[in-house]
Amino acid sequence: MTQTDKLDLSVQIGSLTLPNPVGVASGTFGYGEEYAPLLDVNTLGALYTKAVTLEPRAGNPAPRLADTPAGMLNSIGLANPGMEAFITDKLPFLRTLGCPVIVNVAGSTEDDYALVVERLGSEDGLGGYEINISCPNVAHGGMAFGTDPALVERLVKRLVSIRDRAPGAASRRPVIVKLSPNVTDIGLIARAAEAGGADALSCINTLVGMVIDTKRKRPVLARGTGGLSGPAVLPVGVAVVYKVSRAVAIPVIGLGGISCADDALQYLLAGAVAVQVGTAIFSRPETPLEVLGGIRDFMEREGVSEVRCIRELL
Amino acid sequence: MKRFDARITALRSVATGYRELRYEWPADLPPPSPGRFFTVRAGGRYDPVLRRPFAFSAWSPGGAGEPAEASFIFQVRGRGTRYLAELDTGDTIDVLGPLGTGFGKPRRGSRPVLVAGGIGLGPMLYLANALSIDARDGLCEAPVLALGFRTASLIPDVAMPEGTVICTDDGSAGYRGTVTGWLEGYDPGAPPYLYACGPSAMMAAVGAMAAARRAPYEAALEQWMACGVGACAGCAVRLRTGQYIKACVDGPVYDGNLVDWGAML
Ligand SMILES: Cc1cc2nc3c(=O)[nH]c(=O)nc-3n(C[C@H](O)[C@H](O)[C@H](O)COP(=O)(O)OP(=O)(O)OC[C@H]3O[C@@H](n4cnc5c(N)ncnc54)[C@H](O)[C@@H]3O)c2cc1C
Ligand SMILES: Cc1cc2nc3c(=O)[nH]c(=O)nc-3n(C[C@H](O)[C@H](O)[C@H](O)COP(=O)(O)O)c2cc1C
Ligand code: FES
């Protein structure tokens, strides 16, 4: 029997050590402050911020949300205050946190991504970058990058070289590439990101979906389609992680539909080194901490002392 | 703000398709002011994932061994509200609150005119009761609450402040016509201070009147919500400047003279 205090929950993502495998997903946790009254943010394995773009973005027209069976659609459209306001208004709070902060970076052009990663390289208090090449909710860029292997490799190569030239510890921040499930062969895109020098991959972003209001006879979302998330996408994400973690040598972070420890364990068994909880936070803000507790219980029960060894059980 | 499991102390039908639910309010939370709201999980572990938002319709401090209680009035609309309607006294609900920005105080000497339709009833009743106390203390003129219904059978069986105006589309009770129709012919006798909560068309019509009379207008906005705490940007409401605000933290009560009502219809 393993003792709880002997459990090694730490996870290695490139040069970054996460204290535990349970993070909170981009776009569902704002910039940390919003949920701080409801759960102890310091105990998270990592906090992935809402997407940051070069310029401020107002986002898509409303309504932006729809209810679906065991899930939801969103078409937020990467609404965010922009890179400079992120640095002045959001980063000071994020720096006070005890957990690693990973900035989710999005853009419409390669230059957009490059300028954000370059600028953030001169700011301290960040653990790494999660490159969002998989947002289904914007007309330009976003998912368009994530579906073309040649574009993915070129973009990642450029961002990695910018990261390498950053001063001090910022030159070692991991570049994590977040993949879209809305592609024909995700293994191809995963290998392209790896070839470009990515330190890790996050799978999955949301799936494209639509809800139609049969009374008003029009789509519920102003933009028509949105991204599906929540329990409904869990088996899709697990299958993607199973496939991708066998296609690449770099670590894979699993997410999509996790709402309890068992869901997270499916990802860890499928080959993920860490997980993120997203939509479930909306239903129950404490979910990430409950998931972590359940992973500990599993490790004790199974006699696994290192969280990175869970995948070997499959 | 916190998330807590609350015991239901009363659940009753107040009109066709409308229920009033009361639940225990934790001793360590401040009373919610009128216009603020909470979200509730309305179903099982996985479904629906989006918590449902409701505005407070009353709050009582309890005392003498009795716990404080919060109330809301809701319309049975879809799966979430059907789930709530089937609960019983003694059951628990999972509440997150109090959330959002509530109503402000009317200007001194002004006449608060409160307009409500449909599910806007709860927050407006709560506000009218609070402003009646302010009026007694001489902080404003006596508030006037105007409620619009399709027909008399939809008028809820709840205590209403003195002087409440009832409007029905079919004339089966009170003024025949819409509540905005009534408002057009109403002379407040003092500078009006408008408050409204209800269907978008009604809110937009009150907005047009407020603009024409240059009257202050506090509007309680309704928008789909996911987090309720400002983290997801899902509840965006468009302003006339083209900017968006978050209904859950900047609202739900917001300056109705700034909202782009055309985008809400
Ligand atoms: C701040 C706020 C306060 C509210 N206060 C009250 C209240 O005091 N009493 C009350 O009865 N209702 C209130 N509502 C609306 C209430 O949240 C919805 O009626 C409820 O969520 C419907 O859930 P459902 O599962 O029964 O319906 P669903 O099956 O999900 O939907 C039924 C219909 O309701 C509409 N709807 C559902 N949720 C919303 C929403 N959040 N905003 C706009 N339309 C929605 C849908 O378009 C659909 O046509 C409030 C909403 C907000 C945002
Ligand atoms: C409201 C909302 C906003 C999101 N915003 C972003 C974003 O800005 N960047 C990003 O990479 N993913 C974003 N996502 C996707 C999530 O990070 C996650 O990949 C997806 O929701 C699946 O996980 P879940 O089912 O646990 O939510 C968003 C998801 C939601 C629900
Ligand atoms: S509901 Fe999430 S920001 Fe308002």
Side-chain angles (χ1 to χ4, degrees), chain A residues 34-35 37-38 282, chain B residues 1-4 23 25 29-30 32-40 51-56 95-102 225-230 247-253:
Chain A
E34 298 87 348
Y35 270 109
L38 294 167
F282 299 150
Chain B
M1 176 220 307
K2 70 172 188 174
R3 199 198 62 73
F4 55 96
Y23 61 87
W25 189 251
L29 277 183
S33 63
R36 299 195 74 193
F37 72 103
F38 61 93
T39 62
V40 61
R51 302 173 72 94
R52 298 321 201 220
F54 298 96
F56 296 98
V95 176
L96 173 62
L99 303 171
T101 306
M225 292 180 179
C227 70
V229 298
C248 69
V249 286
D250 304 315
V253 180

Side-chain angles (χ1 to χ4, degrees), chain B residues 2-242:
Chain B
K2 70 172 188 174
R3 199 198 62 73
F4 55 96
D5 290 324
R7 202 176 72 87
I8 298 174
T9 50
L11 176 57
R12 66 180 187 113
S13 175
V14 290
T16 313
Y18 281 81
R19 304 279 194 284
E20 180 191 53
L21 193 155
R22 275 191 279 161
Y23 61 87
E24 275 182 27
W25 189 251
D28 59 344
L29 277 183
S33 63
R36 299 195 74 193
F37 72 103
F38 61 93
T39 62
V40 61
R41 244 168 78 170
R45 169 148 200 117
Y46 292 107
D47 200 41
V49 300
L50 294 182
R51 302 173 72 94
R52 298 321 201 220
F54 298 96
F56 296 98
S57 62
W59 183 85
S60 63
E66 294 295 313
E69 277 180 353
S71 313
F72 65 107
I73 296 172
F74 66 97
Q75 183 189 18
V76 182
R77 254 177 159 174
R79 55 186 184 143
T81 46
R82 259 197 312 275
Y83 168 88
L84 292 176
E86 281 161 18
L87 296 172
D88 279 313
T89 305
D91 288 345
T92 56
I93 49 173
D94 169 342
V95 176
L96 173 62
L99 303 171
T101 306
F103 294 107
K105 294 286 184 196
R107 288 185 193 143
R108 231 168 213 284
S110 67
R111 166 93 58 207
V113 181
L114 286 61
V115 183
I119 60 169
L121 172 73
M124 282 300 163
L125 265 183
Y126 190 17
L127 177 65
N129 286 325
L131 291 178
S132 298
I133 296 170
D134 288 352
R136 237 174 287 149
D137 295 342
L139 298 175
C140 58
E141 295 295 312
V144 173
L145 174 63
L147 303 173
F149 303 97
R150 245 184 314 114
T151 186
S153 69
L154 294 173
I155 300 171
D157 165 29
V158 291
M160 295 182 195
E162 210 178 307
T164 298
V165 176
I166 301 282
C167 308
T168 52
D169 294 351
D170 64 1
S172 51
Y175 173 87
R176 174 195 286 267
T178 62
V179 69
T180 45
W182 169 84
L183 184 60
E184 247 169 277
Y186 170 67
D187 175 11
Y193 193 102
L194 295 167
Y195 295 95
C197 186
S200 300
M202 185 202 93
M203 302 294 285
V206 176
M209 270 180 237
R213 297 188 193 182
R214 296 182 185 282
Y217 174 26
E218 295 197 19
L221 304 166
E222 206 196 310
Q223 187 58 276
W224 278 90
M225 292 180 179
C227 70
V229 298
C232 75
C235 61
V237 170
R238 204 178 132 97
L239 299 183
R240 280 161 43 184
T241 57

Side-chain angles (χ1 to χ4, degrees), chain A residues 99-312:
Chain A
C99 71
V101 173
I102 294 166
V103 183
N104 187 269
V105 179
S108 303
T109 64
E110 263 186 50
D111 286 347
D112 284 357
Y113 287 92
L115 288 166
V116 174
V117 170
E118 183 160 10
R119 174 73 180 85
L120 292 176
S122 59
E123 296 294 327
D124 61 3
L126 294 173
Y129 309 107
E130 183 177 56
I131 310 303
N132 178 4
I133 53 166
S134 46
C135 180
N137 296 325
V138 288
H140 301 287
M143 201 166 79
F145 279 104
T147 53
D148 180 338
L151 280 183
V152 170
E153 184 172 342
R154 196 173 74 193
L155 174 67
V156 175
K157 216 171 236 157
R158 183 164 167 200
L159 299 181
V160 166
S161 79
I162 291 170
R163 183 272 319 268
D164 289 344
R165 290 196 305 270
S171 68
R172 292 187 297 278
R173 284 179 193 161
V175 171
I176 303 164
V177 178
K178 186 160 176 184
L179 302 185
S180 167
N182 304 304
V183 295
T184 328
D185 183 357
I186 197 164
L188 214 60
I189 309 292
R191 282 193 295 271
E194 183 179 41
D199 296 284
L201 303 173
S202 292
C203 310
I204 54 175
N205 209 316
T206 54
L207 292 121
V208 176
M210 179 185 281
V211 175
I212 294 175
D213 182 333
T214 54
K215 275 202 208 96
R216 307 175 81 177
K217 296 164 195 73
R218 65 182 199 201
V220 170
L221 298 178
R223 217 171 150 268
T225 59
L228 177 67
S229 65
V233 310
L234 175 69
V236 178
V238 172
V240 165
V241 166
Y242 185 87
K243 181 171 179 180
V244 167
S245 62
R246 281 156 183 78
V248 296
I250 52 178
V252 176
I253 300 162
L255 75 155
I258 297 177
S259 56
C260 63
D262 200 71
D263 300 343
L265 286 162
Q266 290 196 48
Y267 276 103
L268 296 176
L269 286 164
V273 300
V275 295
Q276 299 175 24
V277 179
T279 299
I281 295 168
F282 299 150
S283 334
R284 262 183 89 77
E286 311 90 317
T287 306
L289 307 183
E290 291 169 354
V291 167
L292 180 59
I295 292 174
R296 280 177 199 274
D297 293 346
F298 175 87
M299 290 170 69
E300 283 183 26
R301 219 169 38 238
E302 298 286 333
V304 184
S305 57
E306 295 171 27
V307 75
R308 60 186 151 271
C309 297
I310 291 179
R311 64 181 297 181
E312 291 158 16

Side-chain angles (χ1 to χ4, degrees), chain A residues 82-92 95 119-120 123:
Chain A
M83 175 181 79
E84 288 304 332
F86 167 76
I87 291 168
T88 51
D89 302 341
K90 309 293 179 188
L91 199 48
R95 283 198 184 101
R119 174 73 180 85
L120 292 176
E123 296 294 327

